[in-house]
């Protein structure tokens, strides 16, 4: 077995890569979760990760954040990286603006950056409110502002829309797509929703049995029409790979 090695490298203006993973292996006890994974993500690229539950999607995110260490292989990531989870994880005792700028040095510049981030996620009038007064979609937008105010080179999204109702989910997808296009971080998002993947991704990965079974570019114009024949072909192929081989309907749902 090779020696475990994780490196955090500062952003290099010459290199187009934000993430470089080589020979990644991770096991918990006797169970191997990731086995010889190789992955690169370019700066500004939106990559979506699909896969059945228990295949290691969240483990891969935790390795990229540094919360887990690999058993073998190399993980190169920028130091400026932030995460948004399924739950907003706002601090109830802090107002919305304080949540957005939490952990940063208190200054006029920090406050102004936080207010700009709130305006970007359409929460300009919510800075002084308490988290308990926000709707689910508003709370998740505040969590997104907290991630983006740090100007990350790598944004990690772990099923960030899963707890939202269908309409709010679509609006959040549009918002995230617009913000990523504007800020241009590298993005890795985990989801169980195939339609969401086709709608947002530049590339879709399907994780199966510890390795990527699919690494597919989605070269479709934006905004994307889910009824477009090319989008439907991608959708059908991903569903088949996930073992959910079913015909498209007028109201496609998510897979989980």
């Amino acid at each position: 077995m090779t020696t475990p090695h994780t490196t955090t490298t500062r952003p290099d203006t010459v290199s187009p890569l934000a993430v470089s993973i080589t020979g990644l292996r991770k096991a918990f006890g006797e169970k191997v979760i990731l086995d010889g994974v190789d992955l690169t993500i370019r700066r500004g690229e939106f990559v979506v990760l699909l896969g059945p539950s228990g295949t290691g999607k969240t483990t891969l995110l935790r390795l990229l954040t540094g919360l887990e260490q690999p058993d073998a292989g190399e993980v190169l990531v920028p130091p400026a990286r932030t995460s948004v989870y399924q739950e907003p994880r706002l601090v109830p005792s802090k107002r919305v603006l304080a949540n957005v700028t939490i952990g940063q040095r208190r200054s006029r510049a920090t406050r102004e950056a936080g207010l700009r981030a709130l305006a970007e996620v359409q929460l300009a009038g919510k800075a002084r409110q308490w988290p308990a007064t926000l709707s689910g979609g508003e709370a998740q937008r505040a969590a997104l502002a907290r991630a983006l105010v740090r100007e990350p080179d790598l944004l990690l999204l772990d099923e960030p829309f899963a707890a939202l109702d269908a309409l709010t989910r679509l609006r959040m997808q549009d918002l995230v797509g617009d913000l990523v296009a504007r800020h241009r971080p590298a993005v890795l998002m985990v989801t169980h929703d195939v339609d969401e993947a086709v709608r947002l991704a530049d590339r879709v990965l399907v994780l199966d049995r510890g390795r990527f079974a699919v690494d597919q570019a989605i070269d479709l114009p934006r905004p994307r029409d889910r009824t477009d024949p090319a989008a439907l072909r991608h959708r059908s192929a991903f569903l088949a790979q996930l073992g959910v081989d079913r015909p498209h309907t007028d109201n496609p749902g998510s897979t989980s």
Side-chain angles (χ1 to χ4, degrees):
M1 181 182 294
T2 58
T3 302
H5 181 55
T6 301
T7 302
T8 298
T9 181
R10 292 196 174 278
D12 183 346
T13 57
V14 176
S15 173
L17 296 180
V19 173
S20 178
I21 297 175
T22 307
L24 174 62
R25 185 181 190 275
K26 181 65 179 179
F28 294 102
E30 297 298 317
K31 185 175 182 180
V32 178
I33 304 298
L34 300 169
D35 189 13
V37 166
D38 298 325
L39 173 64
T40 59
I41 303 177
R42 299 189 308 274
R43 300 182 188 282
E45 186 177 26
F46 199 130
V47 177
V48 175
L49 180 59
L50 296 168
S53 296
T55 55
K57 301 184 300 299
T58 296
T59 297
L60 180 57
L61 289 190
R62 288 175 62 84
L63 285 159
L64 290 173
T65 62
L67 295 174
E68 297 283 353
Q69 295 297 311
D71 298 321
E74 183 177 68
V75 180
L76 299 174
V77 291
R81 55 195 190 274
T82 55
S83 303
V84 179
Y85 302 95
Q86 182 173 334
E87 298 298 328
R89 302 187 180 184
L90 302 180
V91 179
S93 60
K94 292 182 178 292
R95 297 183 189 271
V96 170
L97 179 58
N99 266 281
V100 169
T101 59
I102 194 168
Q104 297 189 302
R105 186 173 63 87
R106 294 183 64 179
S107 68
R108 180 175 178 178
T110 297
R111 174 181 170 79
E112 290 176 350
L115 291 172
R116 286 195 301 271
L118 284 172
E120 279 199 287
V121 299
Q122 302 163 15
L123 292 177
K126 305 288 185 177
R128 294 284 301 164
Q129 291 194 206
W130 299 102
T133 68
L134 302 181
S135 68
E138 288 172 338
Q140 199 66 331
R141 278 186 272 156
L144 184 59
R146 181 177 57 199
L148 290 175
V149 77
R150 289 158 174 79
E151 293 291 339
D153 294 302
L154 175 61
L155 177 62
L156 302 168
L157 304 173
D158 192 0
E159 298 193 69
F161 315 132
L164 304 178
D165 64 83
L167 183 57
T168 302
R169 184 171 187 145
L170 289 172
R171 289 172 175 164
M172 282 293 295
Q173 289 170 6
D174 288 341
L175 177 61
V176 166
D178 290 344
L179 290 171
V180 168
R182 190 178 309 146
H183 289 268
R184 303 298 293 165
V187 180
L188 181 61
M189 183 176 83
V190 167
T191 183
H192 285 91
D193 189 327
V194 170
D195 295 301
E196 187 167 88
V198 175
R199 191 166 193 236
L200 289 174
D202 297 312
R203 281 165 63 206
V204 173
L205 308 174
V206 179
L207 189 59
D208 186 28
R209 300 179 186 178
R211 297 193 177 188
F212 296 126
V214 172
D215 186 342
Q216 177 64 56
I218 308 294
D219 188 16
L220 298 174
R222 301 175 188 272
R224 290 176 178 167
D225 180 359
R226 70 181 184 181
T227 65
D228 179 277
L232 293 178
R233 285 193 295 271
H234 283 304
R235 180 180 188 274
S236 296
F238 297 141
L239 287 173
Q241 179 64 44
L242 292 165
V244 189
D245 196 1
R246 64 189 184 193
H248 173 73
T249 66
D250 289 336
N251 184 27
S254 65
T255 61
S256 59

